[in-house]
Amino acid sequence: MQENRIEFRNVTKKIKKQEIIKDISFTVKRGEVVGIIGENGSGKTTVLRLASGLSYPTSGEVSVNGKIIEAGKSGILPENIGILIEAPTFIKELTGFDNLNYLSKIRNEITKEDIIKAMEQVGLDPKNKKKVATYSLGMRQRLGIAQAIMEKPNIILFDEPTNGLDLDGIERFEEIVTTLKKQGTSFIFVSHSMEEIDKLCDSVFKLKDKRIILQERMRDWHIVLNSLEDVERVSQLRKNVKITDRYDGKPAIVIPFKVDEDIKIFFDQLKIDYKVLVGENNDKF
Amino acid sequence: MINFEILRYLKCKWIRILLVICLLFVTAAFSVQNVYRFLIMSELLTAYDLFTISDYIVGTFNSAQFMMYFILPVLFSILVADIISADLDENLDQFFFTRLDNRLSYVFVKIKMIILFAIVFTILFLAVLLITGSFYHISFTTNHHHYLFLANQRHHVWVYLYVASFFILGLILIGMIVVTLSIYLKNAGVSVGIIVLLGFMHNIFYVIGFDGVLAWLPFSQYLFGHRNYFMPFGLDVPYFTTLFSLMYMIGGSGILSILMTKKIRNMDIGLGKE
């Protein structure tokens, strides 16, 4: 049985008597990537705060790495987690490396080489003498990601992880997640957009009306079209279309949809003939 | 974590530290005439006696009005007021808390910082007094005229030790007050403002001679020369003894640390000033 790294059991959280989330339950297993989507103010970040011990549940129970996260006598905090919530704030007067170096001294578990490696993984130059005050939003986000991964925690919590990242940053981020997931690291991603996190997640939950529901997943569908003009029309409407090898001499694409009914609606509206070749699980049609 | 906190403080707050040092020099300069006049008016020093550095230092640490009741508590408050609230305001808290086992250890680090700051502030002020004393050509001979030396039969080193210990304990209490206020009020500026108001209150009660009220106020506790047995210089309150002030300062700091812990242990962190 896979070990549960994070468990939310009937968790309700109120802030100033206002209910933010109500009776939510879910688990994150070893090596699992869980996404949480929802509109602004739906309580997504609250879930991350509860998992990281920055807030405690009003009722219910949060357990992280087998430890119940509660106020208790000493304000228990989870162990072995990395976190990046909202826009990361660093000490503006220091360089990126110095910021991470000072932070590493709290746990005192890693070397300068580990910090350099983490910075290089996110595409930041550890020797850069620029102060964080002069960093762009994207650079701060990269530094925030480096901060979260540098101590090799077994759980990482990310709030809008690709916020401000350019294409290179997003690719590096995806590579980091894929590599760490293979090593058994568990993740929770929070985002307002399904598209942003769907690609990386094993399961996605949606927060709506203070409750959490398992979301239908976007799957990659292999579809054969009749002409390159059709491919172009589809590409203009959907940005996440990938062109693949031709099938029987006809152009083929990979395009994400939740269910096959959505494919029908989409192509019927465009009046394009199509043929579904392979679904996400390589089911041939 | 304490190393991280101190390095961070020095890197980020060096302008504030420099400003406080400058103000300490101004205060020390003001104190030269202040202490000298006090000794002359009290007939502890005559026009033929040498005003020595010992008199100046001990006199400064026992100048109630302005010095101990106002400027020193305010300057120390400015240094420590935001050591917790700044973490919460700047959204840095997530990085600390996720690297600790519990919130109590965070509070302990902050209390350690207040204690360390109180010791460093005392040494710094002493150094400022020595430099200022040299600048004003105050004699470095071992003659003593201040009533604390005259009233104490033990070696004069003990007087320095008593004065410094009380001062450090008092600063710790002031630090605890201002930091606890800043957490509960979620505003370090307002908590420094309350210290300023407290300073005014102390001065008013001192001027109108409400010794009974002063004996229960926090800034009265760290003036070693305020004890009842230094009358006519001390407060005319029989129970205002060394033990009373020690219990007040240590007990007060203890209660405030419990209040601080209670708040931090339960609070929703990272919500800024919401």
Side-chain angles (χ1 to χ4, degrees), chain A residues 13-16 49 52-56 67 71-94 98-99 101-107 144 147-148 150-151, chain B residues 1-9 11-15 86-87 89-107 186 261-262 264-274:
Chain A
K13 177 65 185 172
K14 289 180 186 172
I15 296 175
K16 289 180 183 169
R49 287 189 194 287
S52 58
L54 296 178
S55 288
Y56 296 119
K67 192 160 123 179
K73 284 180 182 168
S74 58
I76 297 164
L77 294 166
E79 287 166 22
N80 212 357
I81 69 161
I83 183 170
L84 180 62
I85 293 183
E86 290 167 345
T89 312
F90 290 94
I91 303 165
K92 296 183 195 85
E93 295 81 357
L94 300 180
D98 285 344
N99 261 288
N101 192 27
Y102 284 150
L103 279 173
S104 74
K105 292 190 192 312
I106 298 175
R107 279 187 192 155
Q147 168 278 138
M150 69 178 180
E151 282 148 332
Chain B
M1 189 183 168
I2 187 102
N3 295 343
F4 165 77
E5 287 288 335
I6 290 161
L7 282 169
R8 184 164 74 97
Y9 187 90
K11 278 272 184 185
C12 302
K13 310 275 168 69
W14 63 272
I15 295 175
D87 293 348
D89 288 346
E90 291 166 10
N91 200 19
L92 271 165
D93 41 18
Q94 56 170 300
F95 299 152
F96 306 144
F97 283 99
T98 51
R99 289 179 163 81
L100 298 170
D101 291 339
N102 55 59
R103 295 182 181 195
L104 213 57
S105 47
Y106 175 81
V107 178
K186 296 179 179 170
T261 307
K262 198 170 170 251
I264 297 281
R265 186 176 62 93
N266 282 319
M267 74 190 296
D268 289 313
I269 290 160
L271 297 178
K273 291 186 179 183
E274 280 172 43

Side-chain angles (χ1 to χ4, degrees), chain B residues 19-226:
Chain B
L19 192 73
V20 166
I21 292 172
C22 290
L23 287 170
L24 282 178
F25 271 107
V26 175
T27 309
F30 169 81
S31 183
V32 174
Q33 276 299 312
N34 201 31
V35 174
Y36 180 73
R37 279 185 193 154
F38 166 77
L39 293 175
I40 293 283
M41 283 165 67
S42 311
E43 295 176 355
L44 293 166
L45 193 75
T46 66
Y48 304 104
D49 292 324
L50 265 180
F51 177 45
T52 65
I53 197 78
S54 311
D55 294 332
Y56 170 55
I57 291 171
V58 170
T60 302
F61 277 103
N62 282 283
S63 299
Q65 267 188 294
F66 183 67
M67 193 69 64
M68 298 293 274
Y69 278 170
F70 186 72
I71 194 77
L72 293 177
V74 171
L75 289 182
F76 188 68
S77 299
I78 289 170
L79 284 178
V80 299
D82 63 348
I83 59 170
I84 290 182
S85 60
D87 293 348
L88 306 177
D89 288 346
E90 291 166 10
N91 200 19
L92 271 165
D93 41 18
Q94 56 170 300
F95 299 152
F96 306 144
F97 283 99
T98 51
R99 289 179 163 81
L100 298 170
D101 291 339
N102 55 59
R103 295 182 181 195
L104 213 57
S105 47
Y106 175 81
V107 178
F108 283 154
V109 167
K110 297 298 180 178
I111 293 172
K112 273 191 218 166
M113 275 183 81
I114 293 172
I115 296 169
L116 191 70
F117 277 34
I119 295 167
V120 172
F121 188 86
T122 307
I123 294 167
L124 188 72
F125 190 45
L126 206 58
V128 166
L129 289 175
L130 286 170
I131 294 166
T132 312
S134 309
F135 182 78
Y136 281 96
H137 304 294
I138 295 173
S139 170
F140 274 69
T141 57
T142 51
N143 293 340
H144 311 295
H145 306 93
H146 196 275
Y147 68 86
L148 280 180
F149 292 113
L150 303 178
N152 205 307
Q153 299 302 311
R154 303 171 81 175
H155 193 272
H156 64 268
V157 171
W158 284 100
V159 174
Y160 291 122
L161 278 176
Y162 282 133
V163 169
S165 309
F166 267 66
F167 188 66
I168 290 170
L169 283 174
L171 288 181
I172 293 169
L173 177 67
I174 293 164
M176 295 296 291
I177 292 171
V178 77
V179 172
T180 308
L181 282 172
S182 76
I183 300 169
Y184 277 85
L185 300 173
K186 296 179 179 170
N187 193 319
V190 173
S191 61
V192 173
I194 291 172
I195 295 295
V196 172
L197 275 176
L198 263 175
F200 277 123
M201 275 174 59
H202 281 75
N203 275 299
I204 291 166
F205 288 127
Y206 189 71
V207 170
I208 59 178
F210 275 20
D211 287 7
V213 179
L214 273 175
W216 287 96
L217 291 180
F219 306 166
S220 302
Q221 313 304 324
Y222 73 151
L223 277 103
F224 183 62
H226 252 24

Side-chain angles (χ1 to χ4, degrees), chain A:
Chain A
M1 201 180 105
Q2 267 191 306
E3 139 200 15
N4 280 343
R5 287 265 171 82
I6 301 174
E7 286 184 68
F8 274 61
R9 287 185 283 268
N10 307 106
V11 174
T12 297
K13 177 65 185 172
K14 289 180 186 172
I15 296 175
K16 289 180 183 169
K17 292 179 184 169
Q18 192 189 341
E19 209 165 50
I20 309 294
I21 52 171
K22 190 177 180 183
D23 200 29
I24 70 166
S25 300
F26 69 95
T27 57
V28 182
K29 293 182 167 53
R30 182 181 187 277
E32 190 181 11
V33 183
V34 167
I36 296 174
I37 57 164
E39 291 168 4
N40 291 337
S42 59
K44 305 183 296 289
T45 306
T46 303
V47 173
L48 292 194
R49 287 189 194 287
L50 289 164
S52 58
L54 296 178
S55 288
Y56 296 119
T58 309
S59 66
E61 195 173 81
V62 176
S63 148
V64 178
N65 281 325
K67 192 160 123 179
I68 308 288
I69 308 305
E70 59 185 358
K73 284 180 182 168
S74 58
I76 297 164
L77 294 166
E79 287 166 22
N80 212 357
I81 69 161
I83 183 170
L84 180 62
I85 293 183
E86 290 167 345
T89 312
F90 290 94
I91 303 165
K92 296 183 195 85
E93 295 81 357
L94 300 180
T95 66
F97 178 82
D98 285 344
N99 261 288
L100 299 193
N101 192 27
Y102 284 150
L103 279 173
S104 74
K105 292 190 192 312
I106 298 175
R107 279 187 192 155
N108 231 354
E109 290 172 348
I110 56 168
T111 61
K112 285 186 177 175
E113 282 68 39
D114 294 318
I115 300 167
I116 291 169
K117 195 181 160 198
M119 288 187 77
E120 285 172 347
Q121 272 182 289
V122 297
L124 287 176
D125 178 8
K127 289 176 188 156
N128 189 344
K129 295 292 172 201
K130 272 171 76 175
K131 303 269 191 292
V132 168
T134 64
Y135 272 28
S136 65
L137 174 66
M139 286 173 83
R140 284 186 201 200
Q141 191 73 2
R142 286 178 192 233
L143 193 62
I145 295 168
Q147 168 278 138
I149 64 170
M150 69 178 180
E151 282 148 332
K152 303 176 187 75
N154 65 14
I155 294 169
I156 301 178
L157 313 174
F158 281 129
D159 190 358
E160 310 280 0
T162 55
N163 188 22
L165 291 183
D166 56 16
L167 192 64
D168 172 67
I170 293 170
E171 281 172 3
R172 282 176 183 275
F173 173 74
E174 288 174 359
E175 195 183 316
I176 289 167
V177 174
T178 311
T179 310
L180 293 178
K181 178 180 153 63
K182 279 180 196 160
Q183 293 166 7
T185 308
S186 308
F187 291 87
I188 298 183
F189 294 151
V190 151
S191 176
H192 61 275
S193 148
M194 180 80 169
E195 280 185 12
E196 191 178 83
I197 56 172
D198 183 66
K199 198 163 134 190
L200 297 165
C201 294
D202 299 310
S203 50
V204 177
F205 294 93
K206 184 171 185 178
L207 272 167
K208 198 177 179 189
D209 300 328
K210 300 167 193 171
R211 296 190 184 265
I212 200 162
I213 40 170
L214 187 63
Q215 188 71 358
E216 288 283 0
R217 301 293 319 284
M218 295 288 266
R219 302 173 185 178
D220 281 341
W221 301 79
H222 288 242
I223 289 169
V224 179
L225 302 173
N226 286 333
S227 68
L228 285 172
E229 285 77 23
D230 291 345
V231 173
E232 201 178 324
R233 283 181 67 200
V234 172
S235 303
Q236 279 169 357
L237 288 168
R238 297 283 296 262
K239 58 182 176 183
N240 42 7
V241 173
K242 280 183 237 158
I243 299 168
T244 60
D245 295 338
R246 283 177 172 265
Y247 182 80
D248 282 347
K250 289 183 176 176
I253 57 170
V254 177
I255 182 167
F257 283 103
K258 278 183 198 165
V259 287
D260 48 5
E261 288 86 48
D262 292 349
I263 303 171
K264 189 173 183 316
I265 295 165
F266 179 78
F267 285 103
D268 285 353
Q269 277 177 352
L270 290 177
K271 293 180 181 155
I272 291 176
D273 288 334
Y274 70 98
K275 183 181 169 191
V276 176
L277 195 66
V278 187
E280 184 201 38
N281 303 321
N282 290 336
D283 312 320
K284 298 218 172 184
F285 294 87

